[in-house]
Amino acid sequence: MGNEIVSKDKILARLRPKSPIFVSMPSQPLHIVSFDNPYPPVYGGVIDVFFKLKALHAIGFEIYLHCFVDQLPVDTTELEKYTTRLYWYPRSKNVLKLLASTPFSVGSRYHESIVGNIASVDAPVLFEGLQPTFVLRKHALAGQKKFLRLMNIESDYYGGLSGSERNLIKKVLYGFESRKYVRYQKTMADFENVFTLSVHETDYVAQRYGNAVYVPVFHGNTRVASLSEFGDYAFYNGDLRLADNQRAALFLIDVFRALPDIKLVIASDHGKRLIERAIGDASNIEHTTIRDAKHFDELMAGAHVCVMLSFQQSGTKLKAVNALYKSRHCLINANMIDDPGVRGLCTMASTKSEFIGAVKRLSEVPYRDSENRQKVLDAVLNDQKNAQKLAEMIVKKGA
């Protein structure tokens, strides 16, 4: 199939039969409409999508996965393990959609063939985020129950990006997108349930539309890593193409300039030049490029303190969840985790001086919390239990 860009004038929705090796057919059909290809699960939103569909498949769902993509995937073998059909649709690149009243991230995710593909199998439809829901502006999908997995309060998310962005054009575009979402978010009232992944989002939806169901993030972890009492450095990771993560990394560089005896490793796939310029002559701070998942896990296992912060409120972030399973002490600000049980596993800070003091203190504290951490995470962030919660709502409402 190749790594080609999908052009508008092709037949773009591809139907793939399930590989014959996977002969056990689940009994409950379900459409999942995703804003992106969920494999490999390399960033927050698609991590939730991938491990959710994997968990739903494991408990008996026959999954018809619809994905809006910029290019066709090279290899779909892994997705074929958990799905009955895969459909691919192009994401529009028409810049005129920026002028529409609908958010660009929504309007660019529509293709006429999705309607027939969904209608061909009588089953409930789970939309992954508001982004791929523009089809509902065109067609009612009458007779099929519709559910929404809410990734963010998008008006807040894009507003936060606008506030952190230094590029003037991007700042303005993010601001427009935020204002458009204020209106578009009202479509949340049209779903049977909105499955929220944070306390903040649950309160927002419950107060306005009354159809919120809290289902924490899916992440794929099962066991807290068994690690020695001390690691070798403090650690921060993030996608440094995002303004909020850039701002967090620069904040932490400033923090660790005041801690010359404690090493900070900043890891990312992008942004090396930005970070190295900011580091300057601070010999205790370094950037490393993440090579693959194994390398990332090794970096997490070697850290004594994972330091994480965000300048925008958006519930519980997956990087914090991964750190709780794969590393030692977690030092966060309030925007990283809003589930009270999970937040209790972390050390909190907000100001520069508070981060400096907390890093100093934690650098001398041995890590011995794995047993209690496992107990708390099993109660809140168990993928299998949370898949069952989703299933009960979908089957009940979809009957």
Side-chain angles (χ1 to χ4, degrees):
M1 178 163 53
N3 196 31
E4 58 179 313
I5 299 292
V6 184
S7 62
K8 289 176 62 178
D9 56 350
K10 291 181 179 180
I11 299 175
L12 298 158
R14 296 201 175 190
L15 178 62
R16 283 185 170 269
K18 192 170 183 177
S19 172
I21 193 171
F22 304 110
V23 295
S24 177
M25 294 297 292
S27 60
Q28 173 64 50
L30 174 68
H31 293 284
I32 293 181
V33 184
S34 178
F35 59 92
D36 199 355
N37 179 4
Y39 192 84
V42 293
Y43 69 91
V46 297
I47 291 172
D48 182 71
V49 176
F50 177 73
F51 289 109
K52 184 190 310 102
L53 74 85
K54 186 175 178 180
L56 288 171
H57 173 267
I59 63 173
F61 277 88
E62 177 183 296
I63 295 173
Y64 296 80
L65 179 62
H66 307 253
C67 301
F68 286 90
V69 294
D70 292 322
Q71 61 186 36
L72 290 173
V74 174
D75 183 3
T76 61
T77 305
E78 189 67 18
L79 285 176
E80 289 171 8
K81 295 178 182 179
Y82 312 110
T83 59
T84 301
R85 295 286 188 273
L86 286 170
Y87 302 85
W88 304 103
Y89 310 95
R91 187 176 175 194
S92 173
K93 300 297 183 183
N94 186 352
V95 295
L96 293 178
K97 292 184 181 294
L98 290 167
L99 304 177
S101 60
T102 301
F104 180 78
S105 52
V106 175
S108 61
R109 288 178 170 91
Y110 174 73
H111 191 271
E112 60 213 16
S113 62
I114 191 174
V115 180
N117 290 336
I118 291 176
S120 68
V121 178
D122 185 15
V125 187
L126 173 61
F127 290 89
E128 297 286 358
L130 282 169
Q131 290 92 336
T133 62
F134 192 67
V135 61
L136 299 178
R137 286 285 184 95
K138 300 279 189 175
H139 305 274
L141 299 179
Q144 291 175 283
K145 300 293 185 180
K146 294 167 281 292
F147 300 85
L148 175 67
R149 172 50 149 183
L150 190 65
M151 301 292 182
N152 291 295
I153 306 301
E154 299 292 352
S155 58
D156 293 348
Y157 174 72
Y158 281 99
L161 290 180
S162 180
S164 296
E165 184 58 63
R166 292 177 293 175
N167 180 294
L168 181 59
I169 294 175
K170 289 183 178 180
K171 179 184 282 290
V172 171
L173 290 176
Y174 288 147
F176 283 146
E177 194 80 345
S178 174
R179 288 191 285 276
K180 291 176 183 180
Y181 265 115
V182 170
R183 296 188 297 272
Y184 192 80
Q185 281 162 181
K186 295 176 182 178
T187 62
M188 285 191 274
D190 299 333
F191 295 91
E192 298 291 330
N193 289 113
V194 176
F195 300 121
T196 53
L197 52 69
S198 75
V199 175
H200 167 64
E201 290 153 359
T202 305
D203 290 344
Y204 179 96
V205 177
Q207 290 172 11
R208 289 164 177 78
Y209 312 113
N211 56 353
V213 177
Y214 177 41
V215 182
V217 66
F218 289 80
H219 50 85
N221 298 291
T222 56
R223 299 297 304 171
V224 171
S226 179
L227 300 171
S228 60
E229 292 185 346
F230 285 92
D232 299 322
Y233 47 81
F235 182 67
Y236 173 79
N237 74 282
D239 182 349
L240 293 176
R241 291 171 295 183
L242 300 179
D244 186 59
N245 289 339
Q246 292 177 10
R247 189 176 173 189
L250 296 176
F251 175 90
L252 291 174
I253 289 171
D254 201 27
V255 166
F256 279 84
R257 283 185 181 280
L259 298 166
D261 296 328
I262 301 175
K263 182 179 180 180
L264 171 67
V265 174
I266 297 174
S268 66
D269 295 318
H270 306 273
K272 180 177 181 179
R273 186 173 301 175
L274 168 74
I275 297 304
E276 289 185 341
R277 281 201 305 265
I279 290 171
D281 60 356
S283 59
N284 64 317
I285 308 172
E286 66 180 53
H287 177 275
T288 186
T289 301
I290 301 171
R291 297 190 298 271
D292 51 34
K294 181 181 178 182
H295 181 219
F296 175 73
D297 288 350
E298 290 170 351
L299 289 168
M300 296 281 277
H304 188 64
V305 183
C306 288
V307 283
M308 298 165 283
L309 73 153
S310 174
F311 292 92
Q312 57 190 80
Q313 185 179 22
S314 57
T316 295
K317 295 186 179 294
L318 269 159
K319 70 176 70 177
V321 173
N322 278 328
L324 286 167
Y325 276 97
K326 297 178 178 181
S327 196
R328 295 176 179 82
H329 298 296
C330 292
L331 173 59
I332 66 172
N333 75 347
N335 290 339
M336 292 301 299
I337 296 175
D338 72 351
D339 185 288
V342 180
R343 184 186 280 183
L345 299 172
C346 304
T347 299
M348 304 296 297
S350 56
T351 66
K352 176 183 173 182
S353 62
E354 287 175 356
F355 270 91
I356 291 171
V359 171
K360 282 182 180 178
R361 184 172 67 257
L362 290 173
S363 67
E364 299 177 357
V365 177
Y367 169 69
R368 298 172 181 154
D369 194 38
S370 60
E371 185 175 340
N372 176 60
R373 185 177 288 188
Q374 184 74 58
K375 187 181 301 184
V376 173
L377 295 176
D378 279 346
V380 180
L381 294 174
N382 184 292
D383 280 1
Q384 288 69 40
K385 292 179 182 177
N386 289 329
Q388 190 61 51
K389 185 175 182 179
L390 270 180
E392 289 170 359
M393 300 300 297
I394 290 171
V395 171
K396 180 174 69 174
K397 295 288 183 71

